[in-house]
Amino acid sequence: MSTLVYINSNDGLAKSALEVVTYAKKLGGDVTVITTGGADESSLASLGEYGATKVLVDRSVNSDDAQVLTKVIASAVETTGANTVVFSHDLSAKAVAPRLSVRLKAGLVAGAIDVPQDGKVKVNVFSGKAFGHVEVSSDKKIISLLPNSFQPEGGGSACSVEEFNGNGGDPKVKVMDVKKPEGEIPLPEAELVVSAGRGLKGPENWGMVEDLAKELGAATACSRPVADIGWRPHHEHVGQTGVAIRPNLYIAAGISGAIQHLAGVNGSKVIVVINTDPEAPFFKAADYGIVGDAFEVLPRLTEAVKKFKASN
Amino acid sequence: MKILVCISKSPDTTSKIAFTDGNSKFDENGVQYIVNPYDEWYALVRGLELKEAGGGTVTICTVGTAADDAVIRKALAIGADDAVRIDAEPTDAYFTAMQIAEYAKSNGYDLVLTGKETINYNGSQVGGMIAEAMDLPFVSLATKLDVEGTTATLEAEITGGVEVCQVELPAVISCAKGMAEQRIPNMRGIMAARTKPLNVVAPAEVAKLTSFVSYDLPEAKSACKMIDPENMDELVSLLHNEAKVI
Ligand SMILES: Cc1cc2nc3c(=O)[nH]c(=O)nc-3n(C[C@H](O)[C@H](O)[C@H](O)COP(=O)(O)OP(=O)(O)OC[C@H]3O[C@@H](n4cnc5c(N)ncnc54)[C@H](O)[C@@H]3O)c2cc1C
Ligand SMILES: Nc1ncnc2c1ncn2[C@@H]1O[C@H](COP(=O)(O)O)[C@@H](O)[C@H]1O
């Protein structure tokens, strides 16, 4: 048994990178990490603490092009003889893992949320309304793990880092420009999320949502109608036809809790619902409920968080 | 320009999700099928807009059984010149993608469009697999798509932002929110859809690599704890001491 883990280390090591290395270690056997880009050697070596036996880094690759990465990962599979490849199920893996599956003829389990049990891997299906158990019949397997479904476990010691050349070639997709809003926490990876819906009445009232998010260090999200009418950007839309998230804490203000909205957030560990209507369906999916006006409750909650932080 | 739009069916988003046969099969009882929203709202409509602007054809492609013809007609009602159904159960993403790739290779398309993901299995797998099988570039989760001559200019979602990129056609593109506005089929479209060609072709020999062995449903949440809207200190303390999330 030998496992290869692909991680994206362009912007340093994300928590999801530590999650996938920990996950790979639980599979048993050797764990080799393949990465590209400019991450420094000591941070790569620290992946050993989470279970990596060795890190291969291909510094000739400086793009996230799926065709290039697929070639690099495939040659690392050949070099290491790995029979399982693990990804974090993020935007980059959604482009690379399917390509690799075809190239290696390796069955892909997309969106795993647990380690295999009796050879079957548990995944989210029906947008989080149910779970499926997937069996892979090919010799080689690919598993891409949903972010925030597995906690990193450190405690080991640093591992070796080796230069690697996977002959990725030149990208056919030319990147002209990259726009990344500064200081925002990407929603799919956020551990805390503050979200609001039509109950907030208009975009001018989002200040109180952002204030609470800022105080908590949370990302912001919204319901679909709010993104559709342009109160908030599309990438904040969560639900069955938006982003599916599984944060530790999801706070929803002025959102009714329609089935399509719940589908994208019911993997959250803890849900807090703020709604003026005690009959709002969202309360059935909530852990903590507040029947009240978001315009009063949100600022009050922000103050309470401030107070809590000052005394801790 | 020749455009192929990959359409999958999915259960209506309000469907009750249940399983039968010892939890090994999705219970279709009372389930209404719709065109997978990403495929319809974004991939198909953008394909039609490109054709309207620059000429060409739009063909719908589905891997599915005769039971899917109703959903294919729904998609034809929105537009598209014709449809092809590859006659097989699409139970494995690799199998499905290889079928579409085989068909697309022998018919030569400039653009192959898929949705971001199917809302029942949510794999985001089929598009990338088609691209690799055809050795074509793939732009994943595109939110904007324009074509000038043989060059496509796109915006696509990346971690924490968007990128603007260019690619030479032919290419495979998965379509996400922002690319187009949903179109409601009109009466004329619905009538025309009845007589548009829907060709059924036999599947290629391809092995399946994965299978869903069983399903289960999440455990019901325990009752929600109600908190006095005046007392947010209590909520914070519960989130810290009881739920341990802050
Ligand atoms: C095919 C399809 C796909 C869909 N996909 C999605 C999806 O991915 N994501 C999604 O979110 N939706 C989706 N929807 C839409 C979904 O059905 C709901 O219409 C939508 O989620 C409702 O948004 P909302 O809760 O913000 O608004 P509303 O349903 O209008 O609810 C507003 C809520 O705010 C409360 N409220 C009002 N004033 C206040 C106040 N002052 N303080 C506190 N609370 C207040 C009200 O009591 C109400 O519960 C989809 C629908 C379809 C048909
Ligand atoms: N059975 C199918 N027939 C045609 N296209 C499909 C099929 N299944 C998936 N697709 C396409 O592939 C996209 C991604 O699907 P998935 O990999 O299942 O998330 C969908 O949005 C469709 O465009």
Side-chain angles (χ1 to χ4, degrees), chain A residues 15-16 19 145-151 188-192 246-249 267 269:
Chain A
K15 177 166 167 267
S16 57
E19 290 170 8
L145 179 71
L146 268 192
N148 210 27
S149 41
F150 216 79
Q151 284 313 304
E189 284 172 27
E191 293 188 17
L192 308 174
R246 4 184 339 109
N248 295 340
L249 174 62
K269 292 199 179 75

Side-chain angles (χ1 to χ4, degrees), chain A residues 147-148 187-194 219 238 244-251 264-271, chain B residues 245:
Chain A
N148 210 27
L187 192 48
E189 284 172 27
E191 293 188 17
L192 308 174
V193 175
V194 182
V238 292
I245 53 172
R246 4 184 339 109
N248 295 340
L249 174 62
Y250 184 71
I251 300 178
V265 302
N266 57 10
S268 310
K269 292 199 179 75
V270 174
I271 295 180
Chain B
V245 288

Side-chain angles (χ1 to χ4, degrees), chain A residues 28-48:
Chain A
D30 273 1
V31 177
T32 308
V33 172
I34 173 81
T35 187
T36 56
D40 64 81
E41 188 156 335
S42 68
S43 66
L44 292 178
S46 74
L47 290 169

Side-chain angles (χ1 to χ4, degrees), chain A residues 66-67 70 89-92 94-95 97-103 105-110 120 122-138 172-181 186 189 192 216 224 227-228 234 237 239-243 248-249 251 259-260 266 268-272 283-292 296-297 300-301 303-305 307-308 312, chain B residues 11-17 19 26 37-38 41-42 92 94 97-98 116-133 135-141 153 155 157-168 177-178 182 207-219 221-233 235-240 242-243 245-246:
Chain A
Q67 247 171 328
T70 301
H89 197 55
D90 55 17
L91 295 184
S92 147
K94 283 180 183 177
R99 293 201 82 114
L100 190 69
S101 167
V102 170
R103 180 162 280 244
K105 259 192 152 211
L108 166 58
V109 183
K120 295 181 271 295
K122 187 172 176 181
V123 299
N124 262 357
V125 288
F126 296 96
S127 313
K129 291 177 196 167
F131 305 117
H133 301 271
V134 184
E135 206 166 62
V136 179
S137 51
S138 50
K172 288 189 197 150
V173 179
K174 256 200 312 208
V175 178
M176 321 294 285
D177 193 14
V178 172
K179 302 178 206 165
K180 282 193 186 177
E189 284 172 27
L192 308 174
L216 283 168
R224 176 174 155 217
D228 280 354
H234 285 316
H237 157 196
Q240 188 156 15
T241 51
V243 188
N248 295 340
L249 174 62
I251 300 178
I259 185 165
Q260 298 95 349
N266 57 10
S268 310
K269 292 199 179 75
V270 174
I271 295 180
V272 174
F283 285 117
K284 290 204 180 68
D287 299 279
Y288 301 103
I290 298 126
V291 177
E296 293 165 13
V297 174
R300 212 174 279 146
L301 179 53
E303 283 312 309
V305 172
K307 224 164 79 190
F308 165 78
N312 269 271
Chain B
D12 175 8
T13 52
T14 56
S15 304
K16 188 174 164 343
I17 304 299
F19 301 96
F26 176 55
Y38 291 103
W41 300 347
Y42 310 125
D92 168 51
Y94 174 83
M98 296 309 275
K116 165 189 165 189
E117 64 185 15
T118 46
I119 61 168
N120 39 358
Y121 292 103
N122 309 94
S124 278
Q125 300 185 47
V126 169
M129 288 178 172
I130 296 172
E132 183 69 20
D135 197 23
L136 290 180
F138 173 54
V139 178
S140 171
L141 305 192
T153 304
E155 280 188 20
E157 293 176 29
I158 54 168
T159 307
V162 289
E163 77 180 16
V164 183
C165 59
Q166 275 189 345
V167 65
E168 283 301 304
K177 187 168 183 176
Q182 186 180 0
K208 293 186 177 177
L209 303 182
T210 62
S211 56
F212 278 87
V213 183
S214 64
Y215 300 90
D216 48 57
L217 295 169
E219 279 174 37
K221 279 250 178 191
S222 50
C224 171
K225 206 176 246 183
M226 300 313 287
I227 290 157
D228 178 2
E230 302 290 337
N231 193 353
M232 284 304 100
D233 291 330
L235 176 64
V236 170
S237 138
L238 284 168
L239 291 177
H240 179 63
E242 186 178 79
V245 288
I246 60 172

